[in-house]
Amino acid sequence: MNLEHRIAIVTGGGSGIGAATSEMLAASGAKVVVTDISEESARQTADVICQRGQEAIGLGQDVTRIDEWHQVFETTAKKFGVANALVNNAGVSGAGKDRLEEPEGLEAWRFVMSVNIDAVHLGCRLALEQMKVSGGSIVNISSVMGIVGGAGPAYNASKGAVRLLTKSIAAYCGKMGYPIRCNSVHPGYIWTPMVRQIVDVSDEVSTEEELKEMLLLQHPIGRLGRPEDIAAGVKFLLSDESSFMTGSELVIDGGYTAV
Ligand SMILES: NC(=O)c1ccc[n+]([C@@H]2O[C@H](COP(=O)([O-])OP(=O)(O)OC[C@H]3O[C@@H](n4cnc5c(N)ncnc54)[C@H](O)[C@@H]3O)[C@@H](O)[C@H]2O)c1
C-alpha cells in the first residue's frame, strides 16, 4: 500500500497507537504531521521518522481547542500542502474517575467527552472544510468499548459516539458530494501507557503481569494487541485499496467481541 499521495495529520501521535501509526504511515510514503498535547512527545515521534529519511513534523496541540485545530491545518498546508488524511487518535480513558455513582464522575464524564468525542467532531469539521474539493480520508479511533459495554460509562459512551459520528459524516459527505471517506477503527486491548495505567486504579490486579493475564483471557487469539496491529488497519483505510469503504467499522480486537 503506497501512501505517497497522503498528507496526514495524526493526533495523540506522541505515544502508543498514534506513534506507531505515524511511523507506519511515513514508512509507506505519507508526509505526517504528528500532534500531541505533549509537544515534546510529538516531536520525538517526528524525529524518529525523520532520522529514517522519511517526512514528518511534530506539533503541540490540545485537540479540545478549535484555535489549535486551525493552527495545525494551517501549519500542515504551509509545510506539506493541504491535508488529505486525518487520524483522530488522541484519547483518554478516565480510568479511576469515570464512575457513575461518585461525585467526581460528572467531572470525569465531561473531560472524557471533551477529548474523546467533542474533539473528534472538531477535527472532522475542519477536515471537511479542507478536503471537500480535493478529497481525503478520515479515520476515527473508537474502541471495542464503542461496541460493547465494560469500561467506564463516559469512555463507553464517547467511543460509541465516535462510531456513529463516523457513519454520520460518511453519509453527510455522500449527500454533499464531497469526495471524503470516513471510517472508524475499534481496537481490542493494546499494550500502551493507557492500558498499563489500569493497574494503578484496579481492584482486581496489582501488577502489570496480573493485568496482562486478566486481559489475555478476553482475547481468543491468545495475545494482547500491539500498536502496529492498529496502525496497519489505519494505513489500509487511508490507502486507495479501501476506496469502496466509508462509514465502516474496522474491528481489530483479537476476537474480543466475538465471544
Ligand atoms: N490501548 C488500548 O487498548 C486502546 C483500545 C481501544 C481504543 N484505544 C484508543 O486508541 C487511542 C490511542 O490510545 P493509546 O492506547 O495509544 O493511548 P496513549 O495514552 O498511549 O496515547 C494517547 C495520546 O493522546 C494524547 N492526548 C491526550 N489528551 C490529548 C489532548 N487533549 N490533545 C492532544 N493529545 C492528547 C496523549 O498525550 C497521548 O500521547 C485512544 O483514542 C484510545 O481511546 C486504545
Side-chain angles (χ1 to χ4, degrees):
M1 281 172 260
N2 188 316
L3 296 185
E4 275 169 19
H5 59 307
R6 287 291 182 213
I7 297 167
I9 298 168
V10 180
T11 68
S15 172
I17 293 169
T21 299
S22 300
E23 289 180 32
M24 198 177 284
L25 300 184
S28 303
K31 298 177 177 68
V32 182
V33 176
V34 185
T35 84
D36 203 286
I37 198 163
S38 158
E39 183 173 350
E40 193 189 343
S41 67
R43 284 179 188 271
Q44 277 169 6
T45 303
D47 285 349
V48 168
I49 292 170
C50 293
Q51 278 158 17
R52 294 175 182 154
Q54 299 149 8
E55 291 187 84
I57 54 168
L59 302 175
Q61 180 200 16
D62 180 347
V63 290
T64 64
R65 295 190 45 167
I66 191 158
D67 55 331
E68 297 193 12
W69 271 108
H70 279 293
Q71 281 166 15
V72 166
F73 275 102
E74 275 166 30
T75 307
T76 303
K78 275 190 203 134
K79 175 75 184 167
F80 294 131
V82 175
N84 57 16
L86 170 64
V87 184
N88 279 308
N89 166 77
V92 290
S93 68
K97 294 188 177 153
D98 182 11
R99 293 176 200 268
L100 205 52
E101 296 185 77
E102 304 289 336
E104 79 250 31
L106 183 59
E107 202 182 320
W109 168 273
R110 289 186 173 138
F111 173 65
V112 171
M113 286 293 170
S114 72
V115 180
N116 288 6
I117 180 65
D118 295 356
V120 175
H121 175 255
L122 287 179
C124 289
R125 264 181 58 188
L126 294 203
L128 259 56
E129 268 177 34
Q130 297 275 318
M131 302 176 190
K132 62 185 172 189
V133 177
S134 46
S137 177
I138 301 171
V139 177
N140 296 327
I141 306 298
S142 175
S143 170
V144 287
M145 294 301 161
I147 301 172
V148 296
Y155 191 78
N156 267 143
S158 68
K159 292 300 186 179
V162 169
R163 175 175 168 270
L164 276 179
L165 173 65
T166 301
K167 293 182 192 302
S168 182
I169 287 168
Y172 180 77
C173 288
K175 190 173 109 187
M176 300 301 289
Y178 298 163
I180 302 171
R181 298 186 291 114
C182 186
N183 294 286
S184 58
V185 170
H186 300 260
Y189 280 92
I190 313 297
W191 195 246
T192 67
M194 180 183 284
V195 167
R196 288 203 291 268
Q197 75 179 7
I198 294 173
V199 101
D200 302 329
V201 294
S202 171
D203 303 328
E204 295 164 88
V205 294
S206 50
T207 65
E208 285 195 1
E209 281 317 304
E210 284 173 16
L211 173 63
K212 260 190 189 168
E213 269 173 43
M214 183 181 81
L215 295 177
L216 210 57
L217 295 173
Q218 300 168 36
H219 295 75
I221 209 158
R223 68 169 175 87
L224 294 186
R226 304 179 190 109
E228 294 73 20
D229 294 321
I230 308 308
V234 175
K235 178 174 132 180
F236 170 62
L237 290 172
L238 294 187
S239 77
D240 292 343
E241 273 78 355
S242 62
S243 63
F244 194 53
M245 286 178 76
T246 193
S248 294
E249 46 197 272
L250 183 57
V251 179
I252 309 175
D253 72 348
Y256 184 97
T257 51
V259 290

